[in-house]
Amino acid sequence: MAATAEEVLQQECDMELDSFSAEDAFTLGMNVLDIAGEQSKSLVVSVRRNGKLLFYKAGPATVIDQDDRIRRKTNAVNLRGHSSFYLFLKYEGDEQAFCQANSVKAEDYALYGGCFPIKLRNKGMIGTVAVSGLTAEEEHMLCLNAISLLRRQQYEG
């Protein structure tokens, strides 16, 4: 894919939802697992709305460090309101530069793919979907595809 920061920003705009309920959070989490297929064994998946954890799943081949990576990526997305992959591209993977620019501690923020903002049309960001266990770009695409599927499910549903 080799996406640019501008392309990732457009993806964020394209994935805005009209609504996002607790049921939608469960559906989104399950979408991630379904799309990942066999890879889900090595994934940790987290879906939050307004900071509240609504969906969590750790596959049998995961490690505790993945929970911390999700926490750190989610912190970055919550701070800046953009996907962790966009932040990774914008700062060219330089977490120190990100932390200096935002006056935050490096141990609490990670720039890597895999955390995507959940945004409502005309209302802004209200949550996140985060994945850990793949490459930065694969995690980003997994979140993007799961939200895209949720949008179709809401439209059809």
Side-chain angles (χ1 to χ4, degrees):
M1 179 178 134
T4 66
E6 293 76 23
E7 289 170 334
V8 174
L9 279 179
Q10 186 60 53
Q11 291 170 350
E12 291 179 21
C13 290
D14 292 345
M15 291 301 115
E16 288 183 347
L17 303 171
D18 292 322
S19 63
F20 189 71
S21 67
E23 248 181 44
D24 292 328
F26 179 80
T27 300
L28 178 57
M30 292 305 296
N31 287 351
V32 170
L33 296 173
D34 290 344
I35 293 167
E38 278 296 307
Q39 290 180 312
S40 67
K41 292 178 182 177
S42 65
L43 295 182
V44 174
V45 181
S46 166
V47 181
R48 294 179 177 271
R49 184 183 66 196
N50 297 323
K52 183 177 182 181
L53 184 63
L54 297 178
F55 181 94
Y56 176 87
K57 173 73 169 125
T62 59
V63 295
I64 194 71
D65 291 350
Q66 288 173 264
D67 286 326
D68 190 54
R69 184 167 289 260
I70 281 191
R71 177 189 66 83
R72 293 174 63 221
K73 290 189 284 190
T74 300
N75 285 347
V77 173
N78 285 334
L79 179 68
R80 301 304 302 160
H82 292 292
S83 70
S84 57
F85 194 55
Y86 167 77
L87 297 171
F88 174 81
L89 294 170
K90 179 180 178 182
Y91 287 91
E92 299 176 345
D94 188 343
E95 289 182 0
Q96 288 301 325
F98 171 84
C99 290
Q100 287 175 349
N102 293 284
S103 301
V104 295
K105 295 179 184 178
E107 61 265 17
D108 290 326
Y109 295 84
L111 303 185
Y112 198 76
C115 187
F116 203 93
I118 298 167
K119 295 182 179 183
L120 295 182
R121 196 172 330 282
N122 302 317
K123 293 187 181 175
M125 187 176 133
I126 55 107
T128 57
V129 56
V131 175
S132 178
L134 303 170
T135 68
E137 197 164 350
E138 289 172 333
E139 289 177 358
H140 174 76
M141 291 306 299
L142 183 54
C143 291
L144 178 67
N145 290 334
I147 293 175
S148 179
L149 178 55
L150 176 64
R151 289 180 78 231
R152 289 192 305 274
Q153 289 165 327
Q154 287 179 332
Y155 180 75
E156 294 168 359

